Amino acid sequence: MAADLHPRTGLPVVAMVGGGQLARMTHQAAIALGQSLRVLSGGPDESAALVAADVRIGDHQDLAALRDLAEGATVVTFDHEHVPTEHLRELVEAGTRVAPGPEALVHAQDKLVLRRVLAEAGEPQPAWAEVGTAADVEAFGGAHGWPVVLKTPRGGYDGKGVFVVPDVAAAAALLEQHGTLLAEQRVAMVRELSAQVARSPFGQVAVWPVVETVQRDGVCAEVYAPAPDLSDELATAAQELAVRIADRLGVVGMLAVELFQTADGVLVNELAMRPHNSGHWTIEGAVTSQFEQHLRAVLDYPLGSTAMRAPVVVMANVLGGAAADPDWTGPRLDERIHHFMAHWPDVKLHWYGKGQRPGRKLGHVTALGEDLAEVRARAVAAARYLADGVVDPAFAFPDEH
């Protein structure tokens, strides 16, 4: 067991595949717990690599790099799902503890695998089919209506790999490019929700309130916790659905179940087996953040309280805007952060240290309070200022009018 603990601290070493902002925020949670987070990063300038002490530079698709990451670690986990399943099986066979394990993670990697398992379990999901020819799509569209949603089974995120096609010709072009695809009925949804659950190796679970996520151009822009005007009955049903999925798949760590709310209930959209954008609000907004909880779960520590710290919490992503333009002549980032703190002293900022470009997730802000409209106004205005350098008139100082 000694090899699985840090020689200086005597505490576990968690190795995380991926060097993005999720690893960065997991590292921040690990510090408070005295743990050592080791990161496999694609380069020294990735978000987590800028702050973590133990960084291994390598490709997450390279088995040798994964073995080096795992050497002496207590457990290997992930900030993304794009690791070859066969490599993870080799790590497990060599005695490495991987959480979630490859037999669970494949359901977040491959949408067709997920759809089949949900169908076997009788869980709610959109009508779907595996399609390989234009005739397959034509038959699906005839049965379930047009337009049809086509998805690449693997590799999509933030709207990438998702296509809404109006006719067979458009579908044929995508099949020519991508091969086999997942076809889904375009759901008449009320809104998108997310139910997050953490699960330990022996089945202890903890759930947070169900949240509403607001997507723009396929990217999460805002999260409202708890989801406003969601009945207790439907909220409980969504949480129970997430727990059932976590148990059925044997998830260890965080699981985010992305949901479509319809007039009749909820349908499963996709899964993420890691900390998730819909849970960033938990850093300030819950007693235990998703990042700390993920560490607790993969290490089989008792899970923490998920109680909210305020009646309403809103998270707004800072997406690269006008200030990310190479020709930007407005206030520099340091100056924008300075003014952000002056205008919104109670709004918390998490900046990811990533190179700026339009549309990219550069950071997020979180506001707490009692009234959704008021809390959202603060969060959205703060995020917009950091992205575009524009102060909402409602929050301007007298000399800025």
Side-chain angles (χ1 to χ4, degrees):
M1 183 65 182
D4 294 333
L5 299 175
H6 193 282
R8 184 173 67 253
T9 66
L11 291 170
V13 177
V14 177
M16 181 165 269
V17 179
Q21 64 262 27
L22 299 180
R24 182 185 179 108
M25 288 181 276
T26 303
H27 168 71
Q28 291 167 327
I31 291 171
L33 301 180
Q35 295 164 3
S36 303
L37 187 74
R38 179 183 298 165
V39 173
L40 177 63
S41 176
D45 58 348
E46 289 191 353
S47 188
L50 294 173
V51 296
D54 190 355
V55 179
R56 311 295 168 91
I57 304 299
D59 188 335
H60 62 266
Q61 300 186 74
D62 179 1
L63 180 57
L66 293 169
R67 284 174 170 157
D68 177 66
L69 177 76
E71 179 66 30
T74 310
V75 61
V76 172
T77 189
F78 312 93
D79 94 333
H80 63 76
E81 294 91 353
H82 309 306
V83 184
T85 311
E86 61 273 18
H87 289 357
L88 297 180
R89 291 196 179 105
E90 291 208 32
L91 292 184
V92 171
E93 289 170 5
T96 298
R97 196 159 75 78
V98 177
E103 306 312 317
L105 188 64
V106 69
H107 298 88
Q109 296 173 320
D110 192 312
K111 298 177 180 66
L112 283 169
V113 172
L114 170 64
R115 290 292 176 223
R116 294 185 192 111
V117 168
L118 292 177
E120 291 170 4
E123 298 292 10
Q125 60 179 327
W128 66 276
E130 179 178 348
V131 294
T133 67
D136 292 338
V137 182
E138 184 174 25
F140 185 84
H144 301 288
W146 294 91
V148 168
V149 179
L150 295 180
K151 297 181 178 180
T152 54
R154 284 180 174 256
Y157 65 97
D158 283 349
K160 298 177 177 66
V162 178
F163 313 94
V164 180
V165 296
D167 52 38
V168 175
L174 287 170
L175 288 165
E176 180 71 22
Q177 181 180 357
H178 297 284
T180 299
L181 294 171
L182 167 65
E184 291 183 1
Q185 182 180 27
R186 191 178 190 188
V187 175
M189 65 176 178
V190 176
R191 57 180 168 176
E192 295 189 56
L193 304 173
S194 177
Q196 283 193 291
V197 57
R199 184 178 182 275
S200 74
F202 292 100
Q204 183 190 7
V205 295
V207 296
W208 286 262
V210 177
V211 301
E212 178 179 349
T213 63
V214 178
Q215 314 290 322
R216 296 198 183 96
D217 299 322
V219 179
C220 180
E222 301 169 31
V223 174
Y224 311 145
D229 302 318
L230 184 66
S231 70
D232 291 343
E233 180 182 16
L234 193 53
T236 299
Q239 291 172 320
E240 291 175 346
L241 171 60
V243 170
R244 287 197 306 272
I245 292 173
D247 284 339
R248 183 178 183 86
L249 302 185
V251 174
V252 174
M254 288 295 306
L255 171 69
V257 181
E258 298 178 43
L259 300 163
F260 297 134
Q261 182 183 352
T262 70
D264 300 318
V266 294
L267 302 173
V268 176
N269 177 19
E270 295 179 0
L271 305 183
M273 294 184 192
R274 51 171 170 77
H276 189 255
N277 202 166
S278 66
H280 290 355
W281 68 272
T282 62
I283 300 175
E284 287 84 26
V287 173
T288 307
S289 78
Q290 64 166 345
F291 300 99
E292 178 183 334
Q293 201 82 293
H294 186 71
L295 291 167
R296 288 183 180 226
V298 301
L299 291 168
D300 200 20
Y301 286 175
L303 302 181
S305 167
T306 56
M308 293 185 64
R309 293 188 179 275
V312 173
V313 183
V314 174
M315 187 282 303
N317 276 326
V318 181
L319 303 174
D325 191 295
D327 298 325
W328 172 253
T329 58
R332 294 179 301 177
L333 175 60
D334 179 62
E335 186 177 353
R336 296 200 308 280
I337 291 177
H338 180 102
H339 289 292
F340 154 82
M341 291 179 173
H343 282 278
W344 299 277
D346 55 346
V347 176
K348 303 298 290 186
L349 170 64
H350 293 265
W351 196 257
Y352 303 152
K354 296 159 68 173
Q356 296 192 49
R357 65 170 183 258
R360 191 180 199 189
K361 291 177 183 175
L362 302 176
H364 75 265
V365 300
T366 307
L368 285 67
E370 298 185 0
D371 178 77
L372 175 60
E374 185 274 329
V375 176
R376 177 181 180 273
R378 283 189 284 123
V380 170
R384 183 189 176 202
Y385 175 72
L386 290 166
D388 297 328
V390 176
V391 177
D392 187 313
F395 298 94
F397 295 141
D399 59 353
E400 291 177 321
H401 284 291

